[in-house]
Amino acid sequence: MNEKKFHESATQALKNVAQSLIDYNVETKGYLSTQDLSSSVDQISNNYYVVNVNDEISPTLLGHFLVTEFGRSNLDLEFEYAIYDCESNKMVYGTALQEDNDSLTYESYSISEGSDCTSEDVFFENHYQQTSTGSFKNYMPTCDKYTYYFGVTFLERSEYYTSEIQRWYWVNGFMLIVILFFGYTLYVIFKQRRLSEIQKNFINNLTHEFKTPIAAIDLSAKVLGDPKIINHPKRLEEYSKIVGEQTQRLSSQVEKVLQMASIQKQKIQLEKERLDLSVFIKKCIADFKASQNGNEYLIEFIPPLHPIFIEADQLHFSNIIFNILDNAFKYCDEVPNVKISITKKGKRIQLNFADNGIGIAKEYRKKIFGKFFRVPTGDIHNVKGFGLGLDYVKKIVKRHGWNIDVSENSLKGSIFIITIPE
């Protein structure tokens, strides 16, 4: 559109210049002109125009008319012009520069006496010799179609395009700001919606996790409150054990929430110690087995050939192992079987936990380490939890400077891989 507009403006302005030159000659010379200016302008190249006047051309007036008409058409560009000299069959150059929209600088010369095809006001031929040394920026070729004509070349058209579309820059910039603001608003809305759903699920899980042990403790308290219970020592022992187990369960859930709150506030401090990795894992396995209350399971540990020592916080490292094992047991539809192995690859130590659980779909393997996230299980709600375990694991692993990833077990289930640099 700008290209078309420029061409139309330039063509019309040049026609007006040609008409002004003819009108001047008619008025001063006293003769009528029959020149048809409807097709007097030819565009030779992208920025070079040739204008057929078919009459004498005054270079002084030409420069004046060019600046005037270009100013009216808002073509505030630097340009050069030349008039054809039929005696030398060359274009004789002149300049007309528009600066600050109102100043004009032009040069005019005349051909020596004896010229038959140009007036005494046309440039001296020696000026052409001067321009041929390179004082002008553009070469203007002759046009065989006409005899009395001039050429105009625009030196930098990008200035015109820039000025024309400058207002569109402002409009587009404003629209871009509006779109970005609108997009950010949608992002915040969807984020708040997602957080609202996460909060709702967390509250539901929290209520369910607390409701069950509280109900069990309440029932046991009522039974223990019966004076006759003293006559049934086995029953007393059983309900006392229930109260202890459910209290421990409540305490464990509260501790998880507090741990995550502490990590979120960056208050957790690691107390690293030098640990024998094999010895530490065996101890964690033994402690985990003691908390299973006789449930059927299998944990297999394959120690390395040589002792491997690492720097880690005992409490939080054991919690990492407990959380991974607990998930392997919870998300398993048969007898849980977890194989723990240690491998060394170069300067990296890999701690692998391969289970036979239900597995994790590929699209959820990155998300499972997010806070409150739980893998969708349809209408099945038999797995309890808050979705905090693996988020805790990820944060503690990161605090140690380690890395954790999950992949598919070729047999069945998943493999959690903790990579520890030496």
Side-chain angles (χ1 to χ4, degrees):
M1 291 176 62
N2 284 327
E3 178 74 23
K4 182 178 179 181
K5 184 178 179 181
F6 177 86
H7 176 69
E8 291 176 351
S9 299
T11 300
Q12 187 59 48
L14 292 172
K15 286 181 180 179
N16 294 340
V17 169
Q19 185 64 56
S20 297
L21 289 171
I22 293 174
D23 292 343
Y24 172 80
N25 289 334
V26 169
E27 184 177 349
T28 57
K29 306 293 183 181
Y31 60 83
L32 296 178
S33 174
T34 59
Q35 171 67 10
D36 181 14
L37 298 179
S38 59
S39 58
S40 60
V41 180
D42 288 341
Q43 185 178 16
I44 305 301
S45 65
N46 188 44
N47 63 341
Y48 177 42
Y49 291 83
V50 168
V51 184
N52 179 30
V53 180
N54 199 25
D55 206 338
E56 293 182 357
I57 301 174
S58 168
T60 303
L61 288 175
L62 176 60
H64 171 72
F65 289 147
L66 286 172
V67 172
T68 302
E69 289 298 330
F70 288 165
R72 289 174 183 173
S73 303
N74 294 322
L75 298 174
D76 300 322
L77 303 176
E78 183 181 359
F79 64 90
E80 293 176 352
Y81 67 93
I83 301 173
Y84 174 68
D85 176 15
C86 61
E87 186 176 87
S88 61
N89 192 29
K90 295 176 181 178
M91 300 296 290
V92 184
Y93 289 66
T95 59
L97 310 177
Q98 288 180 300
E99 298 175 357
D100 301 327
N101 297 328
D102 57 5
S103 64
L104 168 64
T105 302
Y106 59 87
E107 300 179 7
S108 62
Y109 299 85
S110 60
I111 292 292
S112 59
E113 295 182 1
S115 173
D116 296 329
C117 57
T118 58
S119 71
E120 60 182 2
D121 294 322
V122 185
F123 305 125
F124 278 115
E125 187 174 357
N126 61 359
H127 178 60
Y128 176 79
Q129 299 297 330
Q130 175 189 350
T131 61
S132 64
T133 61
S135 60
F136 289 94
K137 300 179 181 178
N138 287 277
Y139 168 71
M140 300 185 204
T142 59
C143 179
D144 296 335
K145 292 173 58 177
Y146 309 124
T147 303
Y148 296 94
Y149 65 91
F150 66 88
V152 176
T153 180
F154 296 95
L155 302 183
E156 187 57 62
R157 291 178 61 179
S158 62
E159 295 177 4
Y160 171 79
Y161 298 136
T162 302
S163 63
E164 285 294 307
I165 65 176
Q166 188 173 19
R167 61 180 179 271
W168 291 108
Y169 288 154
W170 290 104
V171 172
N172 289 338
F174 176 75
M175 290 298 297
L176 180 61
I177 292 174
V178 172
I179 292 172
L180 291 175
F181 180 77
F182 181 71
Y184 178 74
T185 302
L186 288 179
Y187 167 76
V188 172
I189 291 173
F190 284 117
K191 183 179 180 181
Q192 291 297 328
R193 181 180 176 184
R194 183 174 62 86
L195 291 176
S196 179
E197 292 177 354
I198 290 174
Q199 183 182 30
K200 180 181 177 181
N201 292 333
F202 173 72
I203 292 174
N204 290 337
N205 290 331
L206 183 69
T207 303
H208 180 74
E209 285 290 317
F210 284 176
K211 187 176 181 180
T212 301
I214 289 174
I217 292 173
D218 182 62
L219 178 62
S220 300
K222 290 179 180 179
V223 173
L224 294 174
D226 187 353
K228 296 180 181 179
I229 192 68
I230 194 69
N231 299 323
H232 302 82
K234 290 185 177 180
R235 193 178 178 190
L236 176 62
E237 181 182 358
E238 180 181 349
Y239 279 100
S240 298
K241 185 178 180 181
I242 291 175
V243 171
E245 290 175 351
Q246 297 303 322
T247 301
Q248 184 178 4
R249 179 179 174 183
L250 276 175
S251 177
S252 175
Q253 300 296 354
V254 171
E255 183 64 27
K256 283 185 179 180
V257 176
L258 292 177
Q259 283 178 349
M260 292 311 302
S262 177
I263 293 176
Q264 195 69 24
K265 293 180 181 179
Q266 304 290 324
K267 289 183 177 180
I268 191 168
Q269 297 293 332
L270 299 180
E271 297 180 2
K272 293 185 179 181
E273 303 176 31
R274 183 175 173 82
L275 304 176
D276 185 323
L277 190 56
S278 297
V279 174
F280 185 80
I281 290 177
K282 289 178 182 179
K283 182 179 183 302
C284 290
I285 293 174
D287 293 341
F288 183 80
K289 288 180 178 180
S291 66
Q292 293 305 300
N293 298 320
N295 294 327
E296 189 177 0
Y297 60 87
L298 177 63
I299 300 177
E300 181 182 358
F301 174 55
I302 305 174
L305 297 177
H306 305 286
I308 296 178
F309 293 89
I310 63 171
E311 296 287 334
D313 184 294
Q314 289 197 46
L315 174 62
H316 292 292
F317 189 22
S318 63
N319 287 340
I320 290 174
I321 297 174
F322 269 59
N323 274 285
I324 294 176
L325 292 177
D326 186 54
N327 278 341
F329 281 28
K330 287 194 300 185
Y331 293 95
C332 185
D333 53 8
E334 56 186 67
V335 177
N337 185 352
V338 181
K339 181 180 292 186
I340 304 175
S341 61
I342 301 173
T343 58
K344 190 172 182 181
K345 296 183 178 181
K347 294 185 177 181
R348 296 182 301 172
I349 302 166
Q350 286 189 346
L351 180 57
N352 307 306
F353 298 82
D355 62 55
N356 64 334
I358 60 176
I360 303 171
K362 190 173 182 179
E363 61 266 27
Y364 299 128
R365 290 177 189 169
K366 295 293 184 182
K367 297 180 180 180
I368 59 173
F369 296 105
K371 181 187 275 189
F372 305 128
F373 182 83
R374 301 184 70 193
V375 177
T377 55
D379 296 330
I380 301 175
H381 300 285
N382 57 333
V383 179
K384 303 174 183 179
F386 299 145
L388 295 175
L390 290 180
D391 181 51
Y392 168 81
V393 168
K394 178 74 173 181
K395 285 182 170 62
I396 295 299
V397 165
K398 189 175 179 181
R399 288 288 182 85
H400 279 85
W402 306 341
N403 185 53
I404 185 169
D405 200 3
V406 60
S407 63
E408 183 180 4
N409 191 344
S410 59
L411 300 176
K412 182 184 178 183
S414 304
I415 302 177
F416 284 83
I417 305 170
I418 298 177
T419 303
I420 305 172
E422 286 188 333

